[in-house]
Amino acid sequence: MREALPGRVVLPGDRTYDLLRMPFNTRPDPHPSAIIRCFSEEDVCSAVEYAVTADLPVTVRGGGHSAEGWCSITDQVVIDLSGMQHIEIDLENELVHVSGGARWGQVDLATYPWGYAAPGGACTDVGAAGLTMGGGIGPVTRSYGMTIDSLVEARVVTSRDRRVVVADDEHETDLFWALRGGGGGNFGVATRFSYKMYPVRPAALGGILLFSWDDMEALWKAYRDWMQVDSDDHLLINPMVVWMGPNPGCALMTYYNGEPDTGMAVMKEMLGGLTPMTGPLEESLQLTTLPAFTGGGETTAWPGTAQYWRNGFLDNDFPDEAISTVKEWFGRCPMPPNHHNHPAAGTGLAPQWRNDISFAYIESLGGAMGRVPVDDTAFFWRDQKFSFTVIAIFDPSMEQWAEESHAWADGFRAAMEPYMSGGAYANYIQADLPNFGEAYYGDHYERLRGVKATYDPSHTFRFPQDLR
Ligand SMILES: Cc1cc2nc3c(=O)[nH]c(=O)nc-3n(C[C@H](O)[C@H](O)[C@H](O)COP(=O)(O)OP(=O)(O)OC[C@H]3O[C@@H](n4cnc5c(N)ncnc54)[C@H](O)[C@@H]3O)c2cc1C
């Protein structure tokens, strides 16, 4: 392999092997057989050519944020795109071209100075590639749709072709359909995505509002009721249950993609009489920018932690009991031994969300995302409004805590099961999800398997829940 791909192959024992083999989530401890670093489309083509000819199973690494760490798999070859992070703005056509290893935060930073955004995720470090192929949910999803809804072209190196294939509305249309929701790592190596950009305001209302634990049920009910009626598509509100130092609390992650005064009024209406712990809404909610919002939630604070992600879409009319279940199960969260050591604990400073320990939340869907016809893209769950996620976060070296966290995350999801619709978000991939094909892809599962068979006939691209 080293002779065929000089200067790009990292093998066990090499100095950078340990650095490059680990995913963001440190729960798995993968030892791939080789890591092939790519810096151009030509590099990707030669890597795929080599792997197909030698009949080697391949995993692709984009931003490394797979919830199960499936960008790096033991005994497989990793094609690592972290060296391909080029971003190019095309103002004339209002497009942004993003290489297969770029992070979404880079996209936000590149488009924002021009007054534009493409709809991405809420975490800067997540790879554009994985985010896109699973769907992509973030601050402006309700305004402009999912990340896939702005995708106009993808360039992919498939095992069938061993060269770059361009997929768009007119070429390789089945592949283009499948890339929009069929999940990363299935169809080939995506080397570049082109997205439509939308004009965004220079400043918008946004941030994380903290509320007392006593208000949890009232807050989540107010949110649910607001979402069920004629909610404003420009407002994103994600209710969360979080730790504030040693105490449970609740939070609203909120972003208003419109005129700030209107946003304030809409937020007030949604909250009824509820007031954040930090004071009246006018003082607690500030102006921000889209890149600051996605980068400001301390979402990059968890590297080095291990995580269990558990997710499912809630019924659109989930009852009050679901909210009580969230409250009860969050209260049972296993606590790390150092859980009092928050910088703000005992200082009298305003409470802060501590996000290096477990939390649970709902991501608000609907709006523009829900108006895309279900068969236009591979993403099946267009009619869902609430994506519920529990993330158990722990130090991987502490075995007892790992076991407790695992059991807690499983128990929490099981307790919420009666209120779930049966669908789950493919981007919050869960290794032990029964019927994962139907859960991620619904009625699109069989068609997706067909696309996989066409473009990856050698089953070169593999992971435990691939579309084989
Ligand atoms: C901290 C955190 C925050 C998150 N926030 C959000 C959010 O706000 N919104 C949201 O929708 N999702 C979010 N996610 C989920 C995220 O979208 C998925 O985990 C996504 O798959 C990560 O993509 P990646 O490229 O970073 O990961 P990777 O681990 O590199 O890849 C994920 C999958 O895609 C494949 N893949 C990666 N790159 C390519 C490529 N170029 N070509 C082909 N296959 C590829 C991999 O093989 C793997 O199967 C978050 C995840 C984490 C861990």
Side-chain angles (χ1 to χ4, degrees):
M1 190 187 281
R2 276 204 159 121
E3 270 171 36
L5 307 167
R8 297 197 281 122
V9 177
V10 178
L11 296 172
D14 286 350
R15 226 170 108 182
T16 51
Y17 177 76
D18 279 336
L19 182 74
L20 296 174
R21 73 180 176 86
M22 282 305 287
F24 165 82
N25 184 351
T26 60
R27 177 166 54 81
D29 186 21
H31 286 77
S33 54
I35 299 165
I36 306 176
R37 307 209 67 192
C38 294
F39 302 93
S40 66
E41 284 186 335
E42 292 71 35
D43 286 355
V44 175
C45 292
S46 55
V48 172
E49 174 78 47
Y50 185 91
V52 175
T53 308
D55 195 20
L56 297 172
V58 167
T59 321
V60 189
R61 183 188 187 106
H65 273 55
S66 159
E68 290 290 349
W70 286 342
C71 56
S72 179
I73 294 180
T74 296
D75 294 337
Q76 295 199 183
V77 172
V78 174
I79 293 187
D80 179 352
L81 299 198
S82 54
M84 290 175 65
Q85 303 199 345
H86 187 68
I87 296 174
E88 204 178 307
I89 309 275
D90 172 356
L91 281 179
E92 204 179 315
N93 296 301
E94 297 187 309
L95 295 176
V96 54
H97 306 289
V98 179
S99 295
R103 312 291 177 116
W104 196 268
Q106 296 172 264
V107 181
D108 277 343
L109 280 173
T111 56
Y112 175 76
W114 300 101
Y116 285 104
C123 173
T124 51
D125 274 0
V126 167
L131 176 86
T132 301
M133 288 182 280
I137 297 168
V140 295
T141 300
R142 284 167 49 76
S143 310
Y144 302 135
M146 304 177 83
T147 309
I148 47 173
D149 300 327
S150 294
L151 187 70
V152 295
E153 182 193 281
R155 294 170 64 85
V156 186
V157 179
T158 64
S159 68
R160 183 193 73 174
D161 302 276
R162 306 180 205 183
R163 61 173 173 80
V164 175
V165 167
V166 177
D168 61 19
D169 264 340
E170 289 171 6
H171 309 93
E172 312 286 352
T173 49
D174 251 15
L175 177 62
F176 189 51
W177 175 84
L179 290 168
R180 290 174 292 162
N186 273 303
F187 308 106
V189 186
T191 54
R192 196 181 83 157
F193 298 92
S194 302
Y195 308 92
K196 178 175 164 38
M197 301 188 294
Y198 294 86
V200 286
R201 304 176 66 84
L205 270 189
I208 293 181
L209 296 169
L210 301 178
F211 292 83
S212 146
W213 191 232
D214 293 340
D215 287 339
M216 186 268 168
E217 282 163 301
L219 184 70
W220 280 49
K221 282 177 198 168
Y223 155 77
R224 176 203 55 196
D225 295 347
W226 183 82
M227 283 285 286
Q228 278 166 349
V229 290
D230 207 9
S231 56
D232 182 331
D233 294 353
H234 293 110
L235 181 59
L236 166 96
I237 332 174
N238 293 340
M240 317 173 79
V241 280
V242 299
W243 291 98
M244 299 180 201
N247 304 312
C250 49
L252 288 183
M253 178 187 271
T254 173
Y255 186 85
Y256 190 75
N257 181 37
E259 210 269 315
D261 286 346
T262 314
M264 191 64 83
V266 176
M267 274 300 290
K268 270 195 172 156
E269 180 202 322
M270 194 236 91
L271 284 175
L274 293 164
T275 311
M277 290 169 85
T278 43
L281 194 60
E282 291 82 353
E283 289 165 26
S284 301
L285 197 55
Q286 316 263 320
L287 285 178
T288 185
T289 65
L290 191 62
F293 175 75
T294 50
E298 292 185 47
T299 39
T300 50
W302 347 325
T305 61
Q307 299 158 22
Y308 282 103
W309 289 58
R310 294 290 178 266
N311 165 270
F313 297 118
L314 295 182
D315 289 330
N316 285 350
D317 58 351
F318 69 84
D320 291 354
E321 291 77 49
I323 296 172
S324 309
T325 305
V326 172
K327 188 166 191 192
E328 186 200 327
W329 270 86
F330 191 65
R332 297 188 198 178
C333 176
M335 294 308 291
N338 66 345
H339 72 281
H340 289 286
N341 294 346
H342 191 275
T347 60
L349 293 173
Q352 284 177 303
W353 168 32
R354 178 169 174 186
N355 76 342
D356 57 344
I357 29 180
S358 310
F359 62 95
Y361 64 113
I362 292 177
E363 277 166 294
S364 299
L365 311 177
M369 165 184 171
R371 289 192 285 273
V372 176
V374 66
D375 292 333
D376 278 15
T377 67
F379 184 83
F380 181 71
W381 302 102
R382 292 284 177 182
D383 59 351
Q384 305 292 297
K385 284 194 169 174
F386 303 105
S387 175
F388 176 77
T389 306
V390 181
I391 311 178
I393 304 179
F394 54 96
D395 181 328
S397 59
M398 300 176 68
E399 261 171 49
Q400 187 197 337
W401 194 20
E403 276 168 31
E404 284 175 21
S405 297
H406 189 180
W408 174 73
D410 279 347
F412 201 153
R413 191 189 187 284
M416 293 300 287
E417 192 87 39
Y419 315 112
M420 287 181 174
S421 67
Y425 185 30
N427 260 348
Y428 299 160
I429 207 155
Q430 302 162 73
D432 47 9
L433 190 66
N435 303 325
F436 66 86
E438 286 76 22
Y440 299 146
Y441 308 118
D443 293 352
H444 291 163
Y445 184 39
E446 287 309 321
R447 181 173 169 194
L448 279 166
R449 294 184 71 202
V451 180
K452 165 87 172 165
T454 302
Y455 286 92
D456 184 25
S458 49
H459 195 207
T460 296
F461 297 99
R462 276 182 222 175
F463 61 94
Q465 293 181 347
D466 69 43
L467 285 162
R468 173 66 177 254

